[in-house]
Structures are given as structure tokens and as C-alpha cells.
């Protein structure tokens, strides 16, 4: 492919999917661009972010590696020796920005088929519920195995409040345990065919809700009232589909309603749907088709449009906003991003990507920050869109950014990156960890695209952003074999981190450090870390560990 034209007085760049593309060639609706202010080749100049995962299209990569989400799980409780593997990542080497222009359009909603009537709640009882350590309620840090995980604590270290294991005898490929919600005084964890609620203070089991078959998709959020949406399979066999939807009250463990999601067309495939919630709307995206329903009663609101034009392949939501990722019915199967009314599904604006570009990652919905790439030309860019869908900035900064959100798997729609945090006009991204080196958290100014500050993890450690609140970024410093993790806060303007929690060393550290692709939360002074997948070999495996003062 012909290399894009370069800004004035700049040397040519080499192609590579880790490089930001230069301005697209004139034509296809994209105007000629001036000099790129971020393309200076001075020593230590800011360089464009690169991302380790670069799936084609809307994220359909090869099957995951062992131990990754969607792959066979690793061992349960770890041995006492070295278990840590560091992933090497290469840095970026070019500084070019993409300039694109949004197209605006409005479309009316098509008439949807009559939705099925939501079923009445059932008092489902566990039929094959996994065995989970229920805890003794004393909050001493014991997991019911007689081990005191706080023994040998050093001065200044905080506590393991409690620890849960699970014993599941499941299929040979293992089972999913992907969900974790913290709602009020309850933390809820999914394990294969059930949801289990525990007291956040002492880990005592509060409730269990069993499902007829394996849970196959969950919404990452809950409503203000503590309700969320879960999908489960319509049978036990390998030919079953993920079509059954249930709304659950996470405070009580009670079902609100359940129904089967109707097909949008002949080729509607329910392999691995994703769920996006905002307000009273939940969108179910799967394999290029999507539909939305009311969380309160299950009524259908809208479905992805059929026929000509740009058809939504999936929806994503955040901060009260909803977007659609769409494929257009032109010769190039061009990609668009739409602003969508979450009640009617109507398009409020449209942003057309450059030719052969696709959205590869979503860092935030409001404000809208997208990673877009052209796999054929090995080019990519991170762009910021305003409320009207117009591009306002392009990010530029040195480092390779591996947030783990582009690897979506076959038929799964993109969701917002869990380790990308946005607050008050700033995007926080972690860099990939190189062998023997510490990674960093980098803060980007979304108004200018420039780097604001960088905070290194230090001492060959790894930092992961968790959330931003009250002028502070909260991050997790990963545990090591002989050293517990930490929860730290960093001022939004940059500066010296402050430790909020120092997790204990001793017998707790090897357990904490062995969680692979874990679910993480920091709520009301407590840190929650849990497994996202279980090997399900009928032996005890680590499930959930909670730290606090």
C-alpha cells in the first residue's frame, strides 16, 4: 500500500501496525491537512501510543492463549515458587497523527417485531451449584483452610479481610467466573451456573442464585437500585446458545424477570453476546447484530437496522451515553460510529472512519475516545470525538499500551477497556510491562492529545488504573511472589502517589500475585480481586480475596 503523505520537512515513516498513520490521502471526504505539530523528531520527542492487541475489524482475533479469558484456566491455588511471567512489549517509533472528518445523518427507527412477554420471576434452587467456602464471618483473613493469611505482616501493611475458594467439577475446558459487582454491603461473584453474594465486611455468604445453565454474559455495571443483567445458555449441550436474559437484584439475590432474546434475522448468532447498560436500557450485541430492552420490565426498545445504509453491529454505553459501531453497505464496507438515543435507537450523529479503518478498542464512551486501525497498512491512531461526533484531538505519547480490551473473540462485540480510565478531560492508560522493567500510567489531555504526566510503577512492578474520583486517580500495584500489592492514589494533576492500602506479605502474597486477568474493584476502602475463570477440576481454587484496614 502507498505510504500516506508526510507533513512538510519530515522524513518518511516505516509502515507498522504500531505506528500512527499520517493524514489520509485527499479524497473520500477528507480535506488536506497542515503540518502535524506532534511530528517533531527531536530527541525524546513524544511518540504515538501503540497497543499490543490489534484485531482486524471490530475485534475478531485468533483463539485466546491458555490462561486468558475464554481459554482453559490455569491451576487453582498456586505453588510457593516462581509463578510470574512478564510479557515483553516493544515501544513505538513514529509520530504522525490521523485527521478525519465526521459525517452527520439522522435515521428513523424501523418497526420492531412484537417482543415476547417477560416471564414471571422464579425461585430457582441450586441444582448443581459449585461448592464455595462460605466463611465463618469473623473477618480474620482465613479462607476456611486454617491458614492465617495475615501472619507475618510487616509494619505498615494492612490486612486480608477474608478469602474465598471454590470447588467446581465442570467441563474439561474450565468454566467462566467473569462477573464481580460491589453493591452496598454486598460483593457478588459469578461461578459457572450461579451468582453468590457475600458480606463485604466478613465474607459471610448472604445469598446464592442458581441458573438453569452456564452464565455466558454479564453486564459490568448495575443500576442505582442495584440491578444488573445476566445472560445464560438455553441448554447444556455444545449446540446451546446464549439467548436467555435475566435481571437480578444484586442486593437481595432475587430474580426480577427473565426472557429469551428474540432473533433479529436469520443469521443472528448468539455465541458470545455483550451487554451494555445505561439508564433503563440494556443493549445485547452479538455477531454483527444488536437489540435493546428496558431493564425495568424487559420490553424491547429497538433493534439494529436492516437493509441499506450503515447497519449497527453492536452498541456500547457509558456515563448515560450510547454509541453504535456500524458497517456501511458500500463497496469498501466502510466503518462508522453513531451517537444513539438509548430509548429510541435513533442516530444523532455519524463519524465516518477513513477507508479500510475499523474501531479496534474503545477507551471511553463519554467523552468518546477510540482506537482505530488499518490492519492492511499496519497503521493506527487514537482519536477523541466531541459530543457532535467531530474529531477534536489525536493522542500522542511514548509507549506501548496494552489494556487487553481489543481481544474480543469471534462474534463478541467490543466493550470499553476495563483498565482505561477517564475523568475531567483526562485519559489514563497503562503501558505494557516489559521484561524486567516497570510499566507506567500515562495521563493524556483529551483537549490537546498531549501527555500530561507519567507515573512509573517502580521496582519492576505493574500499575493498573482502577477509577478516578475526587481529583484522584486510584490504581493497583500488582503483587509479587513475596510482596503484597498496593492500592495507591495519584493527584489528577500528577505528583507523588499515596498508598491507600499496603497488602500483606507472607502467605497472602503468593495467592494475590497468582490471579491471572483478575477482576478488580476498590470500594469504600476495600480492595477486591477475583478470578475470571476456573479450571473446574473438582479441587479448591482461589476465587475472591478482599483487603482492607
Amino acid at each position: 500500500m502507498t505510504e500516506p503523505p508526510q507533513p512538510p520537512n519530515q522524513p518518511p515513516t516505516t509502515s507498522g501496525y504500531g505506528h500512527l498513520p499520517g493524514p489520509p490521502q485527499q479524497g473520500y471526504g477528507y480535506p488536506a491537512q497542515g503540518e502535524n505539530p506532534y511530528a517533531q523528531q527531536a530527541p525524546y520527542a513524544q511518540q504515538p501510543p501503540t497497543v499490543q492487541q490489534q484485531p482486524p475489524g471490530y475485534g475478531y482475533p485468533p483463539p485466546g492463549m491458555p490462561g486468558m479469558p475464554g481459554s482453559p484456566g490455569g491451576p487453582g491455588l498456586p505453588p510457593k515458587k516462581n509463578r510470574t511471567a512478564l510479557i515483553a512489549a516493544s515501544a513505538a517509533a513514529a509520530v504522525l497523527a490521523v485527521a478525519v472528518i465526521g459525517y452527520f445523518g439522522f435515521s428513523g427507527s424501523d418497526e420492531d417485531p412484537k417482543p415476547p412477554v417477560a416471564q414471571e420471576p422464579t425461585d430457582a434452587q441450586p441444582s448443581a451449584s459449585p461448592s464455595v467456602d462460605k466463611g465463618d464471618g469473623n473477618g480474620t483473613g482465613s479462607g476456611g483452610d486454617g491458614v492465617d493469611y495475615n501472619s507475618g505482616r510487616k509494619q505498615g501493611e494492612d490486612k486480608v479481610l477474608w478469602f474465598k475458594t471454590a470447588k467446581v467439577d465442570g467441563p474439561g475446558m474450565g468454566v467462566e467466573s467473569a462477573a464481580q459487582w460491589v453493591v452496598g454491603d454486598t460483593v457478588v461473584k459469578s461461578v459457572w451456573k450461579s451468582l453468590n453474594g457475600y458480606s463485604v465486611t466478613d465474607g459471610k455468604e448472604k445469598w446464592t442464585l442458581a441458573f438453569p445453565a452456564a452464565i455466558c454474559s454479564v453486564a459490568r455495571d448495575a443500576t442505582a437500585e442495584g440491578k444488573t443483567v445476566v445472560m445464560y445458555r438455553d441448554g447444556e449441550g455444545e449446540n446451546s446458545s446464549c439467548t436467555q436474559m435475566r435481571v437480578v437484584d444484586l442486593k437481595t439475590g432475587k430474580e426480577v424477570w427473565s426472557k429469551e432474546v428474540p432473533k433479529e434475522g436469520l443469521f443472528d448468532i448468539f455465541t458470545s453476546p455483550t451487554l451494555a447498560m445505561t439508564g433503563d436500557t440494556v443493549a445485547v450485541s452479538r455477531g454483527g447484530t444488536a437489540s435493546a430492552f428496558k431493564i425495568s420490565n424487559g420490553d424491547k426498545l429497538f433493534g439494529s437496522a436492516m437493509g441499506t445504509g450503515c447497519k449497527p453491529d453492536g452498541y456500547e454505553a457509558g456515563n448515560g451515553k450510547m454509541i453504535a459501531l456500524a458497517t456501511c453497505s458500500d463497496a469498501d464496507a466502510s466503518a462508522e460510529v453513531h451517537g444513539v438515543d438509548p430509548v429510541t435507537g435513533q442516530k444523532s450523529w455519524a463519524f465516518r472512519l477513513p477507508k479500510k479503518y475499523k474501531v479496534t478498542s474503545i477507551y471511553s464512551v463519554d467523552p468518546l475516545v477510540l482506537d482505530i486501525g488499518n490492519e492492511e497498512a499496519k497503521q493506527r491512531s487514537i482519536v477523541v470525538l466531541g459530543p457532535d461526533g467531530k474529531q477534536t484531538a489525536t493522542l500522542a505519547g511514548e509507549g506501548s499500551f496494552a489494556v487487553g480490551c481489543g481481544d474480543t473473540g469471534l462474534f463478541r462485540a467490543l466493550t470499553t477497556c476495563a483498565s482505561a480510565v477517564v475523568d475531567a478531560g483526562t485519559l489514563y492508560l497503562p503501558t505494557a510491562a516489559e521484561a524486567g522493567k516497570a510499566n507506567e500510567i500515562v495521563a493524556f489531555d483529551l483537549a490537546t492529545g498531549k501527555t500530561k504526566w507519567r507515573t512509573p510503577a517502580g521496582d519492576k512492578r505493574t500499575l493498573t488504573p482502577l477509577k478516578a474520583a475526587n481529583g484522584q486517580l486510584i490504581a493497583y500495584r500488582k503483587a509479587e511472589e513475596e510482596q503484597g500489592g498496593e492500592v495507591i492514589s495519584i493527584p489528577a494533576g500528577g505528583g507523588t502517589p499515596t498508598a491507600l492500602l499496603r497488602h500483606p506479605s507472607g502467605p497472602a502474597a503468593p495467592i494475590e500475585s497468582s490471579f491471572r486477568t483478575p477482576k478488580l474493584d476498590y470500594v469504600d476502602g476495600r480492595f477486591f480481586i477475583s478470578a475470571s475463570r476456573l479450571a473446574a477440576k473438582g479441587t479448591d481454587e482461589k476465587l475472591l480475596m478482599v483487603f482492607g484496614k
Side-chain angles (χ1 to χ4, degrees):
M1 178 176 177
T2 303
E3 192 71 14
Q6 305 299 311
N9 303 318
Q10 297 298 324
T13 63
T14 56
S15 288
Y17 202 45
H19 300 159
L20 292 182
Q25 296 179 4
Q26 195 165 1
Y28 199 64
Y30 305 105
Q33 302 298 317
E35 183 176 355
N36 176 8
Y38 308 128
Q40 304 303 316
Q41 299 298 318
Y44 308 106
Q46 288 186 341
Q47 295 179 335
T50 62
V51 175
Q52 281 188 317
Q53 303 87 0
Q54 294 299 342
Y58 285 118
Y60 305 128
M65 298 297 291
M68 298 299 289
S71 303
L77 296 177
K80 293 289 183 181
K81 298 297 178 184
N82 185 18
R83 294 179 296 271
T84 305
L86 295 179
I87 302 173
S90 58
V95 188
L96 292 176
V98 64
V100 291
I101 186 168
Y103 283 30
F104 294 85
F106 296 85
S107 65
S109 59
D110 295 333
E111 184 176 352
D112 293 319
K114 187 175 181 180
V117 178
Q119 302 169 9
E120 291 296 323
T122 60
D123 293 326
Q125 298 298 320
S127 56
S129 181
S131 172
V132 179
D133 166 34
K134 296 184 178 182
D136 55 13
N138 58 19
T140 60
S142 171
D145 53 6
V147 177
D148 180 4
Y149 290 101
N150 290 315
S151 63
R153 275 195 305 144
K154 299 176 183 178
Q155 185 175 1
E157 291 182 340
D158 296 301
K159 300 177 182 178
V160 175
L161 298 181
W162 48 274
F163 172 53
K164 294 292 178 190
T165 60
K167 184 184 291 185
V168 181
D169 189 4
M173 295 295 288
V175 299
E176 295 287 345
S177 184
Q180 175 179 287
W181 302 274
V182 182
V183 180
D185 62 356
T186 304
V187 54
V188 181
K189 184 65 186 165
S190 69
V191 180
W192 193 18
K193 301 179 183 179
S194 70
L195 297 183
N196 306 285
Y198 306 99
S199 167
V200 297
T201 56
D202 55 24
K204 188 173 183 179
E205 186 176 278
K206 300 179 71 172
W207 55 262
T208 296
L209 178 64
F211 287 73
I215 294 171
C216 47
S217 183
V218 295
R220 64 182 178 273
D221 302 315
T223 66
E225 296 77 26
K227 296 179 175 62
T228 196
V229 185
V230 177
M231 293 191 70
Y232 58 98
R233 307 196 74 81
D234 58 10
E236 297 283 0
E238 60 182 24
N239 294 325
S240 62
S241 297
C242 188
T243 60
Q244 307 301 305
M245 182 164 56
R246 178 181 291 184
V247 170
V248 178
D249 186 331
L250 295 174
K251 294 181 179 179
T252 65
K254 300 295 185 181
E255 176 186 328
V256 180
W257 56 260
S258 63
K259 68 184 297 180
E260 182 175 40
V261 177
K263 286 189 174 184
E264 290 287 327
L266 182 62
F267 299 104
D268 195 352
I269 302 174
F270 287 83
T271 301
S272 301
T274 59
L275 300 172
M277 292 171 45
T278 182
D280 193 30
T281 299
V282 58
V284 184
S285 304
R286 66 274 181 188
T289 306
S291 46
F293 305 85
K294 279 189 174 183
I295 298 172
S296 55
N297 58 17
D299 288 349
K300 185 174 179 180
L301 294 171
F302 55 88
S304 55
M306 306 296 290
T308 60
C310 299
K311 173 183 175 294
D313 300 314
Y315 299 101
E316 178 58 330
N319 287 346
K321 304 291 186 179
M322 180 173 282
I323 62 168
L325 303 183
T327 301
C328 304
S329 57
D330 54 23
D332 298 315
S334 303
E336 269 194 1
V337 180
H338 301 161
V340 176
D341 186 308
V343 177
T344 66
Q346 289 194 351
K347 179 169 57 176
S348 56
W349 52 259
F351 172 81
R352 179 72 65 92
L353 274 64
K355 186 177 180 180
K356 296 188 178 181
Y357 275 70
K358 302 291 182 184
V359 177
T360 57
S361 293
I362 304 170
Y363 296 135
S364 170
V365 173
D366 182 32
L368 186 52
V369 186
L370 303 173
D371 203 314
I372 63 175
N374 179 338
E375 188 197 16
E376 181 180 311
K378 306 301 180 186
Q379 295 174 327
R380 56 178 292 276
S381 183
I382 299 176
V383 298
V384 183
L385 305 185
D388 56 2
K390 292 183 179 180
Q391 182 181 341
T392 60
T394 303
L395 269 56
E398 182 182 355
S400 177
F401 295 85
V403 293
C405 56
D407 187 7
T408 55
L410 193 62
F411 303 124
R412 184 180 291 275
L414 285 180
T415 59
T416 304
C417 301
S419 55
V421 173
V422 172
D423 181 57
T426 302
L427 170 68
Y428 305 94
L429 287 178
T431 64
E434 297 184 39
K437 297 181 180 180
N439 83 325
E440 297 176 306
I441 291 178
V442 183
F444 294 94
D445 187 328
L446 294 180
T448 65
K450 295 181 179 180
T451 300
K452 296 175 66 175
W453 52 259
R454 315 173 75 95
T455 295
D459 194 26
K460 302 179 183 180
R461 303 288 289 275
T462 301
L463 277 174
T464 301
L466 297 177
K467 63 181 180 179
N470 302 320
Q472 299 285 320
L473 173 70
I474 309 299
Y476 172 56
R477 194 172 187 231
K478 190 179 184 299
E480 293 186 317
E481 174 79 14
E482 298 179 354
Q483 186 173 359
E486 288 182 315
V487 177
I488 65 171
S489 67
I490 307 170
T496 304
T498 300
L500 302 178
L501 287 177
R502 290 188 173 97
H503 303 166
S505 303
I511 304 295
E512 182 187 0
S513 65
S514 67
F515 281 96
R516 291 193 286 181
T517 61
K519 299 297 178 181
L520 308 172
D521 279 300
Y522 178 72
V523 182
D524 295 333
R526 302 182 184 91
F527 178 74
F528 304 80
I529 181 170
S530 68
S532 58
R533 189 168 181 84
L534 300 173
K537 302 299 183 183
T539 59
D540 281 330
E541 300 178 78
K542 61 184 179 296
L543 177 67
L544 175 60
M545 208 169 201
V546 183
F547 300 85
K549 294 291 187 181

Coordinates of all heavy atoms in Angstrom, one line a residue, residues 83 91 186 192 232 250 255 277 308 341-342 362 373 379 392 397 415 417-418 434 451 464 467 478 499 514:
R83 N 5.9 -18.0 39.9 CA 4.8 -18.2 39.0 C 4.6 -17.0 38.1 O 3.6 -17.0 37.3 CB 3.5 -18.4 39.8 CG 3.5 -19.6 40.7 CD 2.2 -19.7 41.5 NE 2.1 -18.6 42.4 CZ 2.6 -18.7 43.6 NH1 3.2 -19.7 44.1 NH2 2.5 -17.6 44.4
A91 N 8.3 -0.7 22.1 CA 7.9 0.7 22.1 C 7.6 1.2 20.7 O 8.0 0.7 19.7 CB 8.9 1.6 22.8
T186 N -22.6 -5.6 49.9 CA -22.6 -7.0 49.3 C -21.6 -6.9 48.1 O -21.6 -6.0 47.2 CB -24.0 -7.4 48.8 OG1 -24.9 -7.4 49.9 CG2 -23.9 -8.8 48.2
W192 N -19.8 -20.1 37.2 CA -20.4 -21.1 36.3 C -21.9 -20.9 36.2 O -22.3 -20.1 35.4 CB -20.0 -22.5 36.7 CG -20.3 -23.5 35.6 CD1 -20.5 -23.3 34.3 CD2 -20.4 -24.9 35.9 NE1 -20.7 -24.5 33.7 CE2 -20.7 -25.5 34.6 CE3 -20.3 -25.8 37.0 CZ2 -20.9 -26.9 34.4 CZ3 -20.5 -27.1 36.8 CH2 -20.8 -27.7 35.6
Y232 N -27.6 -16.4 30.1 CA -27.2 -17.7 30.3 C -27.7 -18.6 29.1 O -28.5 -18.2 28.3 CB -27.7 -18.3 31.6 CG -29.2 -18.3 31.8 CD1 -30.0 -19.4 31.6 CD2 -29.9 -17.1 32.2 CE1 -31.4 -19.4 31.7 CE2 -31.3 -17.1 32.4 CZ -32.0 -18.2 32.1 OH -33.4 -18.2 32.3
L250 N -29.0 -7.4 42.8 CA -27.8 -7.9 43.5 C -27.8 -7.7 45.0 O -27.0 -8.3 45.7 CB -26.6 -7.1 42.9 CG -26.3 -7.3 41.4 CD1 -25.3 -6.4 40.9 CD2 -26.0 -8.8 41.1
E255 N -34.4 -12.8 41.4 CA -34.7 -12.6 40.0 C -35.8 -11.5 39.9 O -36.8 -11.6 40.6 CB -35.1 -13.9 39.3 CG -35.5 -13.7 37.9 CD -36.0 -15.0 37.2 OE1 -35.5 -16.0 37.6 OE2 -36.9 -14.9 36.4
M277 N -25.2 -1.3 29.5 CA -26.4 -0.7 30.2 C -26.2 0.8 30.4 O -25.1 1.3 30.6 CB -26.5 -1.3 31.6 CG -26.9 -2.7 31.7 SD -26.8 -3.5 33.3 CE -27.5 -2.2 34.4
T308 N -30.2 -1.2 3.5 CA -29.1 -0.4 3.1 C -28.7 0.6 4.1 O -29.3 0.8 5.1 CB -29.5 0.3 1.8 OG1 -30.7 1.2 2.1 CG2 -29.9 -0.6 0.7
D341 N -29.6 7.4 20.5 CA -30.6 7.7 21.6 C -30.8 6.3 22.3 O -31.3 5.4 21.6 CB -31.9 8.3 21.1 CG -32.8 8.6 22.2 OD1 -33.1 7.8 23.1 OD2 -33.3 9.8 22.2
P342 N -30.5 6.1 23.6 CA -30.7 4.8 24.2 C -32.1 4.4 24.4 O -32.4 3.2 24.8 CB -30.0 5.0 25.6 CG -30.0 6.4 25.9 CD -29.9 7.1 24.5
I362 N -12.2 0.6 22.5 CA -13.0 1.8 23.0 C -12.4 2.1 24.4 O -12.4 1.3 25.3 CB -14.5 1.5 23.1 CG1 -15.0 1.0 21.7 CG2 -15.2 2.7 23.6 CD1 -16.4 0.5 21.8
G373 N -7.8 1.5 13.5 CA -6.6 1.0 12.8 C -7.0 0.4 11.4 O -8.1 0.1 11.1
Q379 N -1.4 0.5 10.3 CA -1.5 1.9 10.8 C -2.6 2.0 11.8 O -3.6 1.3 11.8 CB -1.7 2.9 9.7 CG -0.5 3.0 8.7 CD -0.8 3.9 7.6 OE1 -2.0 4.0 7.1 NE2 0.2 4.5 7.0
T392 N -11.8 16.0 17.7 CA -11.3 17.2 18.4 C -9.8 17.0 18.7 O -9.2 18.0 19.0 CB -12.1 17.4 19.7 OG1 -11.9 16.3 20.6 CG2 -13.5 17.7 19.4
G397 N 2.0 10.1 22.4 CA 2.8 9.9 23.6 C 3.6 8.6 23.4 O 3.3 7.7 22.7
T415 N -16.2 -3.9 23.9 CA -16.6 -3.2 25.1 C -15.5 -2.2 25.5 O -14.4 -2.3 25.1 CB -17.0 -4.2 26.2 OG1 -15.8 -5.0 26.5 CG2 -18.1 -5.1 25.8
C417 N -12.6 -0.6 27.4 CA -11.4 -1.2 28.1 C -11.5 -1.0 29.6 O -11.7 0.1 30.1 CB -10.2 -0.5 27.6 SG -9.9 -0.7 25.8
A418 N -11.4 -2.1 30.3 CA -11.5 -2.1 31.8 C -10.4 -1.2 32.5 O -10.6 -0.6 33.5 CB -11.5 -3.5 32.4
E434 N 7.4 -4.5 30.2 CA 8.5 -5.2 29.5 C 9.2 -6.0 30.5 O 9.2 -5.7 31.7 CB 9.4 -4.1 28.9 CG 8.8 -3.3 27.8 CD 9.8 -2.4 27.1 OE1 10.9 -2.8 26.9 OE2 9.4 -1.2 26.8
T451 N 0.5 14.4 26.2 CA 0.8 13.8 27.5 C 0.9 14.8 28.6 O 1.6 15.8 28.5 CB 2.1 12.9 27.5 OG1 2.0 11.9 26.5 CG2 2.4 12.3 28.8
T464 N -2.1 -0.7 37.4 CA -3.3 -0.7 36.6 C -4.3 0.3 37.1 O -4.6 0.3 38.3 CB -4.0 -2.1 36.7 OG1 -3.1 -3.1 36.2 CG2 -5.3 -2.2 35.9
K467 N -10.0 3.6 38.9 CA -11.0 4.6 38.7 C -10.5 6.0 39.1 O -9.4 6.1 39.7 CB -12.2 4.3 39.6 CG -11.9 4.3 41.1 CD -13.2 3.9 41.9 CE -12.9 3.9 43.4 NZ -14.1 3.6 44.2
K478 N 0.5 -4.3 41.3 CA 0.3 -5.7 41.3 C 1.3 -6.4 42.3 O 2.4 -5.9 42.5 CB 0.5 -6.3 39.9 CG 0.2 -7.8 39.8 CD 0.4 -8.3 38.4 CE 0.0 -9.8 38.3 NZ 0.7 -10.7 39.2
A499 N -0.1 5.8 49.2 CA -0.6 4.4 49.4 C -1.8 4.5 50.2 O -1.8 5.0 51.3 CB 0.5 3.6 50.1
S514 N -0.9 -14.5 42.0 CA -1.1 -15.6 41.0 C -2.5 -15.4 40.3 O -2.8 -16.2 39.4 CB -1.1 -16.9 41.7 OG -2.2 -17.1 42.6

